[in-house]
Amino acid sequence: MFRYFITTILVFSSNYCYAEISDEIFYRNIQRITDPSILEDARLDTFTLIRKYGYPCEIHRVYTEDGYILEMHRVPNGKYNAKKGPKPVVLLQHGLLSSSAEWVLMTPGKGLAYILAEIGYDVWMGNARGNTYSRHHKSLVATSSEFWKFSWHEIGYYDLPAMIDYVIKETGAPKIQYIGFSQGTTVFWVMTSTRPEYNDKVSAMQALAPVVYLRNVRSPLVKAIAPFTNTLEIIFKLLGKNELLPNGKINELAGQTVCVEEAITQFLCTNLLFLVCGFNEEQLNKTMLPVVMGHTPAGSSTRQFVHFGQIYKSDEFLQFNHGWIKNKFVYGTFRPPAYNLSAIRTPAFLHYADNDWLSTPNDVHRLSRSLKSVVGKFKVPMPEFNHLDFVFAINATNYIYSRLINIMEQFK
Ligand SMILES: *[C@@H]1O[C@H](CO)[C@@H](O)[C@H](O)[C@H]1NC(C)=O
Ligand SMILES: *[C@@H]1O[C@H](CO)[C@@H](O)[C@H](O)[C@H]1NC(C)=O
Ligand SMILES: *[C@@H]1O[C@H](CO)[C@@H](O)[C@H](O)[C@H]1NC(C)=O
């Protein structure tokens, strides 16, 4: 019965890896949870989950220029505020290894999608190619390595524009607002720098834990893998082919720095998302962990990791590095071109936190110096606030969402 829930699918490009969390660890932890509703939330898909809580939800299919079929989820109005008619439209874009579920996992009153729907927004949630909901292509099957030949560049260059055009066409809104979390911000900068006309389709962008420069990352796992990023083979070796986290180098490294001998953190150590991002004990609602585990990791290509690793190493926001010979063929230059940040014009608001392992304050400051479209930069007033807290924290509403909503109201 819990099969679906227990298994976590993790996909690495060119090889389709199916990883299972150890049943033993899972059951040891799951037994302590008695609320069947929480167990149910862990295995429902985004659409069914939203409907379960009495909110309207629609599924939309969007085709990209290069043939990927993306599934979007829309909450057109709130449960209590069911007002129809024209509304301000917002697109929420999830982070790496995640999906649209990210915005609703924490239940109504806590999940950002619900909050925005209740205050009168028409809420659209994107799903990047390769995740649980966007595993289809006009001609490629998701088990082929050809399907997985993309990094976040393609998500920004193809997926976002396709979704934005679709949303604008469907709603008739002249412009939409955008909220991205982590990689959801990276893909936005990719889009607006490579296809500048999309700057005019978005009235304001809220960047939660923005990611462009990575020199100061503090995630031990990322720092451990980054030096090897140009060698896919080594990554495969490190991650193992059929296990999520074999007892190898990664577990050792992560074990020393992230995991302590306590049931709850051991549980977290089975999840790549927490290994990469760390967690903030105080803001993590442990009752909700099975739900987070049930929905993440939601799939991504190896190239997404590799591309981030290249950014970390080169310390520049460059397109994917295929190696100099192929670069010459693909880009016409031996070195991958830099994303042109001067082409970005959409007013942007950066929200960052001191203890964020991935989107560190120094890297965010550097981004805000390089982007002339930054209007505001806000630090979360909690020193322990970490990366995933932007979407999962118990107090996300007080710490971030209330400010974010105040800003958004000015762009309606
Ligand atoms: C944690 O989640 C449970 C289940 O949704 C909820 O009942 C509880 O109030 C949450 N705790 C906090 C501190 O928000
Ligand atoms: C970058 O974008 C700016 C503004 O659109 C433009 O003036 C400039 O020529 C671009 N630079 C490159 C290298 O394309
Ligand atoms: C955090 O949320 C809890 C539960 O919703 C609440 O009791 C508490 O006052 C909040 N703390 C802060 C600092 O806002």
Side-chain angles (χ1 to χ4, degrees):
M1 174 188 173
F2 297 131
R3 213 59 214 167
Y4 180 100
F5 179 5
I6 293 160
T7 49
T8 301
I9 295 168
L10 182 69
V11 177
F12 289 101
S13 81
S14 37
N15 256 314
Y16 187 84
C17 300
Y18 183 73
E20 252 181 81
I21 288 176
S22 134
D23 288 11
E24 190 208 330
I25 294 178
F26 186 81
Y27 277 115
R28 206 184 325 129
N29 287 278
I30 217 65
Q31 274 160 9
R32 307 191 313 206
I33 294 150
T34 46
D35 188 347
S37 172
I38 286 182
L39 292 176
E40 187 179 63
D41 284 10
R43 59 179 180 78
L44 294 180
D45 57 35
T46 305
F47 172 82
T48 322
L49 185 61
I50 293 172
R51 299 285 285 243
K52 172 183 166 181
Y53 287 99
Y55 278 74
C57 186
E58 296 169 8
I59 294 176
H60 293 262
R61 294 223 157 72
V62 176
Y63 293 76
T64 69
E65 268 172 52
D66 59 345
Y68 286 81
I69 303 167
L70 314 174
E71 184 169 311
M72 295 188 80
H73 297 122
R74 178 195 197 183
V75 182
N77 55 261
K79 179 176 171 182
Y80 305 101
N81 177 5
K83 191 168 100 27
K84 302 278 191 291
K87 292 160 167 235
V89 178
V90 61
L91 171 62
L92 312 186
Q93 186 59 31
H94 63 79
L96 183 65
L97 292 171
S98 197
S99 73
S100 57
E102 184 171 276
W103 310 104
V104 294
L105 286 188
M106 289 299 156
T107 68
K110 297 245 164 86
L112 184 56
Y114 293 121
I115 295 172
L116 291 169
E118 288 300 355
I119 61 169
Y121 285 87
D122 179 358
V123 181
W124 291 75
M125 290 169 275
N127 281 300
R129 59 182 63 191
N131 88 4
T132 317
Y133 303 102
S134 298
R135 271 175 209 271
H136 295 281
H137 186 279
K138 276 197 307 207
S139 55
L140 303 171
V141 289
T143 42
S144 71
S145 60
E146 205 54 34
F147 180 93
W148 295 100
K149 284 193 178 153
F150 62 83
S151 81
W152 39 261
H153 173 84
E154 283 74 12
I155 297 172
Y157 191 82
Y158 295 111
D159 295 0
L160 270 197
M163 292 194 284
I164 289 174
D165 285 339
Y166 182 91
V167 170
I168 286 178
K169 186 159 165 272
E170 194 71 12
T171 59
K175 284 183 182 216
I176 64 164
Q177 295 208 40
Y178 183 95
I179 301 174
F181 166 59
S182 190
Q183 181 192 263
T185 70
T186 318
V187 295
F188 187 85
W189 317 124
V190 169
M191 173 185 73
T192 43
S193 60
T194 55
R195 304 184 134 185
E197 65 277 18
Y198 280 86
N199 281 291
D200 303 319
K201 303 192 181 194
V202 181
S203 58
M205 186 249 190
Q206 309 292 328
L208 303 178
V211 172
V212 163
Y213 299 115
L214 288 167
R215 184 39 63 93
N216 295 293
V217 284
R218 287 164 55 203
S219 168
L221 184 65
V222 174
K223 285 165 92 164
I225 304 178
F228 306 109
T229 45
N230 285 338
T231 319
L232 282 167
E233 264 187 333
I234 297 181
I235 294 196
F236 277 119
K237 215 183 277 171
L238 278 169
L239 290 172
K241 201 174 156 235
N242 293 305
E243 285 173 71
L244 184 56
L245 289 169
N247 280 327
K249 282 213 167 75
I250 287 180
N251 240 7
E252 229 172 79
L253 278 160
Q256 286 160 6
T257 42
V258 187
C259 307
V260 294
E261 287 298 309
E262 199 198 316
I264 191 73
T265 41
Q266 272 179 18
F267 189 24
L268 292 179
C269 285
T270 62
N271 192 304
L272 189 60
L273 190 69
F274 287 96
L275 276 178
V276 170
C277 305
F279 60 94
N280 170 10
E281 188 86 44
E282 202 184 319
Q283 287 294 317
L284 189 65
N285 186 347
K286 292 173 190 64
T287 315
M288 297 302 287
L289 268 179
V291 186
V292 177
M293 297 296 188
H295 289 268
T296 48
S300 87
S301 73
T302 326
R303 280 201 185 174
Q304 283 169 255
F305 287 90
V306 172
H307 199 172
F308 276 128
Q310 292 174 354
I311 300 292
Y312 171 81
K313 263 179 87 175
S314 69
D315 201 23
E316 280 181 274
F317 194 42
L318 305 178
Q319 293 199 30
F320 193 80
N321 189 349
H322 298 278
W324 63 275
I325 297 175
K326 190 159 175 217
N327 285 345
K328 181 78 185 160
F329 178 71
V330 176
Y331 306 118
T333 48
F334 291 121
R335 196 170 171 274
Y339 290 103
N340 185 1
L341 295 180
S342 340
I344 300 173
R345 284 178 281 112
T346 306
F349 298 82
L350 313 181
H351 306 264
Y352 71 101
D354 267 343
N355 188 39
D356 193 324
W357 283 9
L358 298 176
S359 172
T360 58
N362 282 344
D363 290 333
V364 173
H365 297 326
R366 180 171 164 207
L367 171 64
S368 92
R369 286 193 300 271
S370 2
L371 264 185
K372 59 181 192 302
S373 63
V374 172
V375 182
K377 189 170 69 177
F378 306 99
K379 183 160 94 173
V380 177
M382 184 198 202
E384 299 80 21
F385 216 77
N386 199 336
H387 200 66
L388 294 172
D389 289 334
F390 281 88
V391 280
F392 296 148
I394 291 166
N395 291 99
T397 308
N398 336 36
Y399 286 134
I400 315 161
Y401 301 160
S402 51
R403 170 152 53 201
L404 184 133
I405 285 162
N406 282 337
I407 301 169
M408 288 175 67
E409 293 290 290
Q410 293 160 33
F411 288 90
K412 278 209 293 206

